[in-house]
Amino acid sequence: MATMRHTLFVFIAVSLILISLSCQQPGGNSTGSEYMPDMVYSTAYEANVYYSYSLNTWDSASVFTRLDLMNPRNPVAGTVPRGYAGYSFAHNPQEQQAAMAMLTGQAPGSQYTPANGHVPYYYADTEEERIRATAEIIANPFPITAAGLVKGQELYTFYCGICHGDKGDGAGYLVRDPNPATGDAGGKYPAAPANFMLDAFIDSSNGRYYHAIMYGRNMMGSYADKLSFEERWEVIHYIRSLQAKVRGLEYSETANTLNPAYGVPGASLAPEEPMN
Ligand code: HEC
């Protein structure tokens, strides 16, 4: 009896060791294996989020394919999104700023909360509404941060720079480079993109940019489905930083001498949590 109990004990101990060793151990740059990855990686449809998790087994275990699940969706009509509801329902710019301060961990006692919210946009796709957005949307709701500018640069280069140019001067390679297919020296893209370095664009409020991202304009298409709410504003921060450079001014985490109404330097708000 005693030996049987002993054997059983050794068997259980060895099994436990084997089980724990069979999981990858964390170390170096590896986080190791997760015990229950399904609890971390959502298998639900997500609105406005591209969400690919390579170990998700939905391809074999579900009627939905992984490709189906990972692509972003529109939010269900009439629902209140998680995340930026406070911002969406604010009645004036002061209330908007207060809501953003809570979400970004800038307000006393608040914590930075990553949000995937879809933010309603109350301006229609018309010329009058473009002018109204330009007049009414002034400040960038996110503080200027070094990390945000890096992200903004990445997104700008990818989505906008191909036409508007890496310097924002309207000379992206699609416009600038000759088109070998047609022998056209003027480039593949026929329409002239806006030159953000012109005074009219440097002096324009943020609404003009946000509206263009939401709907495009004439030959330019919308980027609303490519960029999240936060990403759109990061791109706009980055464009502002290019404009500041051209005027010999600063638009950064520590100072904004371009126009204080466009964006508040993040360092002056002393964030409690790092922004990401
Ligand atoms: C495929 C080329 C192309 C891409 C990519 C592109 N744009 Fe444009 N954009 C244009 C063209 C062309 C215009 C000029 C439209 C007009 O005024 O007729 C324009 C105009 C604009 C304007 C001025 C709108 C106004 O009010 O006059 C803004 C702002 C703008 N784009 C921002 C962006 C941003 C931000 C991105 C990236 C998210 C982007 N664009 C990507 C081609 C492009």
Side-chain angles (χ1 to χ4, degrees), residues 35-58:
Y35 175 50
M36 278 196 177
D38 275 6
M39 298 187 71
V40 180
Y41 301 94
S42 172
T43 50
Y45 282 128
E46 291 278 345
N48 303 114
V49 178
Y50 173 81
Y51 203 81
S52 172
Y53 175 52
S54 63
L55 298 181
N56 192 316
T57 55
W58 280 73

Side-chain angles (χ1 to χ4, degrees), residues 124-266:
D125 185 11
T126 65
E127 187 56 21
E128 297 76 57
E129 288 286 272
R130 186 181 76 83
I131 291 164
R132 185 167 76 92
T134 306
E136 291 179 0
I137 305 172
I138 310 296
N140 192 316
F142 293 89
I144 313 167
T145 63
L149 286 172
V150 169
K151 184 112 176 285
Q153 173 170 23
E154 197 180 304
L155 295 165
Y156 175 85
T157 309
F158 194 73
Y159 288 116
C160 322
I162 53 173
C163 288
H164 289 279
D166 286 345
K167 298 198 194 93
D169 56 2
Y173 75 85
L174 278 183
V175 184
R176 186 192 60 217
D177 292 356
N179 183 356
T182 59
D184 186 348
K188 287 191 169 59
Y189 195 73
N195 174 356
F196 301 142
M197 299 305 130
L198 296 178
D199 286 348
F201 280 100
I202 300 184
D203 297 332
S204 163
S205 78
N206 285 328
R208 187 167 187 181
Y209 295 84
Y210 195 83
H211 195 80
I213 295 175
M214 293 306 286
Y215 295 121
R217 192 182 185 202
N218 296 330
M219 286 287 288
M220 173 185 155
S222 162
Y223 285 80
D225 60 336
K226 308 286 186 302
L227 299 168
S228 73
F229 179 68
E230 186 163 359
E231 288 170 342
R232 290 171 207 147
W233 285 110
E234 279 166 344
V235 165
I236 295 172
H237 268 323
Y238 180 68
I239 294 173
R240 294 300 190 195
S241 75
L242 291 175
Q243 294 171 333
K245 229 178 273 169
V246 151
R247 286 205 176 164
L249 299 169
E250 196 175 344
Y251 189 89
S252 73
E253 181 168 276
T254 47
N256 171 6
T257 52
L258 180 69
N259 185 336
Y262 297 160
V264 181

